[in-house]
Amino acid sequence: MSDAAMTLEGWYALHDFRSIDWTAWKAADDEERAVALDELQAFMKEWTTAEEAGQGSSTVYTVVGQKADFVMFHLRETLEDLKHLENEFNKTTFAKYTTKSYSYVSVVELSNYLGKDGGDPYQNPEIMARLKPILPKNRYICFYPMNKKRDLNDNWYMLSMEERRGMMRSHGMIGRSYAGKVKQIITGSVGLDDWEWGVTLFSDDALQFKKLVYEMRFDEVSARYGEFGSFYVGSLLDEGSFEEMLKL
Ligand code: 76R
């Protein structure tokens, strides 16, 4: 049996994708819409409270195309905290005007392929900042789930640690060449959701997602072993732009 990579885990993650029921939204009266917007704002304000208390981080982005209209991305200490957020949203008046499109449950993960040894990683502030990250405010987000292949000839999980480490090094080098342009959060979801990882990328230039993902496709670990789910891309919403989007 090959050695499993050691992983470090941080905050649990929920990507909660919703679509707007425009017919219902347009049919609502002004008062009902005002209540819905107020409750939405109050719900989003609680995210700031959690972030300031160091208990998590949340953000919301539009989703372009028909897969969804927006995605709320939450990081919290526990699965219960994530379920609570999901329920709190469902209880808002605004939720009546939305439908559920997709969701993804995972946990922020760092692997030991390239890590340095020494000390308790959970006491290392640099590592903790990556395991419990405050979500960036970049203009664009890109999310997709992925697997590493387990075919007869190409089985990632039967490679030796050395082979995997070599490929992850090459992967990390490409990634690092996008430093300052793309931020990534890798969340592990083996045993939690339908794919093995969630990849969440942030950038101020959406074209960088295409360039980075394309470049990685030629790198062995993606070319040979990567399997990908649906891609979701969109732009940052705040209270103001969310309201603007909903204005009739
Ligand atoms: O530098 C380091 O310490 C981390 C190196 C690194 C690891 C271990 C790294 C760097 N990644 C790692 C692990 Mn990644 N990553 C992806 C995708 O589209 C594709 O082809 C793949 C989707 C992208 C775009 C991306 C970007 N990475 C992983 C893992 C877990 C593997 C495992 O455990 O088997 C996955 C699934 C994965 C997928 N990667 C980087 C990036 C970028 C931009 C970097 C540089 C980040 C940085 O330096 O901060």
Side-chain angles (χ1 to χ4, degrees):
M1 196 184 106
S2 315
D3 288 338
M6 301 295 287
T7 54
L8 301 173
E9 280 79 22
W11 277 334
Y12 284 92
L14 174 66
H15 293 74
D16 188 348
F17 293 85
R18 307 281 177 146
S19 297
I20 298 162
D21 180 347
W22 287 107
T23 310
W25 184 243
K26 284 167 78 175
D29 61 36
D30 287 348
E31 199 191 324
E32 174 96 351
R33 274 196 298 266
V35 169
L37 286 175
D38 281 352
E39 287 182 22
L40 178 65
Q41 305 264 355
F43 178 67
M44 287 171 66
K45 280 225 171 64
E46 282 177 33
W47 302 352
T48 319
T49 315
E51 193 169 295
E52 284 168 1
Q55 292 165 343
S57 188
S58 292
T59 190
V60 59
Y61 280 77
T62 65
V63 174
V64 184
Q66 296 178 2
K67 291 172 187 146
D69 284 313
F70 62 98
V71 54
M72 295 173 281
F73 178 21
H74 303 296
L75 299 175
R76 289 294 184 280
E77 290 284 349
T78 66
L79 284 174
E80 287 87 341
D81 294 339
L82 292 179
K83 188 64 202 173
H84 178 74
L85 277 167
E86 192 187 341
N87 286 342
E88 288 307 295
F89 178 80
N90 287 337
K91 287 179 210 166
T92 63
T93 302
F94 178 62
K96 277 203 323 198
Y97 304 101
T98 65
T99 54
K100 301 178 178 90
S101 311
Y102 184 57
S103 66
Y104 205 77
V105 178
S106 52
V107 60
V108 180
E109 178 189 291
L110 290 177
S111 63
N112 70 338
Y113 286 119
L114 308 181
K116 297 174 216 82
D117 286 334
D120 176 357
Y122 290 106
Q123 301 299 327
N124 178 329
E126 255 172 59
I127 291 176
M128 287 317 291
R130 294 179 62 186
L131 291 175
K132 299 186 171 190
I134 299 302
L135 294 171
K137 297 268 181 279
N138 292 96
R139 192 157 160 200
Y140 300 105
I141 196 169
C142 172
F143 170 80
Y144 53 102
M146 68 172 290
N147 288 340
K148 291 276 172 72
K149 209 180 273 173
R150 276 183 287 125
D151 281 354
L152 234 44
N153 291 320
D154 293 322
N155 188 331
W156 176 255
Y157 295 91
M158 293 186 76
L159 299 177
S160 69
M161 185 66 182
E162 286 64 40
E163 286 173 296
R164 282 176 285 137
R165 181 172 285 133
M167 282 189 249
M168 288 314 293
R169 187 162 294 134
S170 165
H171 168 83
M173 300 271 276
I174 297 176
R176 281 178 201 177
S177 72
Y178 285 80
K181 289 190 260 184
V182 179
K183 288 186 202 107
Q184 64 142 10
I185 296 180
I186 295 298
T187 51
S189 43
V190 172
L192 299 176
D193 215 321
D194 298 345
W195 296 76
E196 295 172 348
W197 289 277
V199 179
T200 310
L201 308 173
F202 296 93
S203 182
D204 290 325
D205 173 11
L207 256 194
Q208 297 302 320
F209 299 143
K210 178 176 183 293
K211 294 194 181 298
L212 167 61
V213 174
Y214 186 64
E215 191 175 343
M216 285 189 172
R217 289 291 158 100
F218 291 91
D219 185 51
E220 191 170 4
V221 67
S222 297
R224 187 180 287 250
Y225 299 102
E227 291 180 332
F228 303 92
S230 290
F231 282 65
Y232 295 83
V233 69
S235 58
L236 183 65
L237 286 172
D238 56 22
E239 285 171 24
S241 51
F242 212 142
E243 204 168 322
E244 185 64 28
M245 178 170 84
L246 293 166
K247 204 182 261 171
L248 297 180

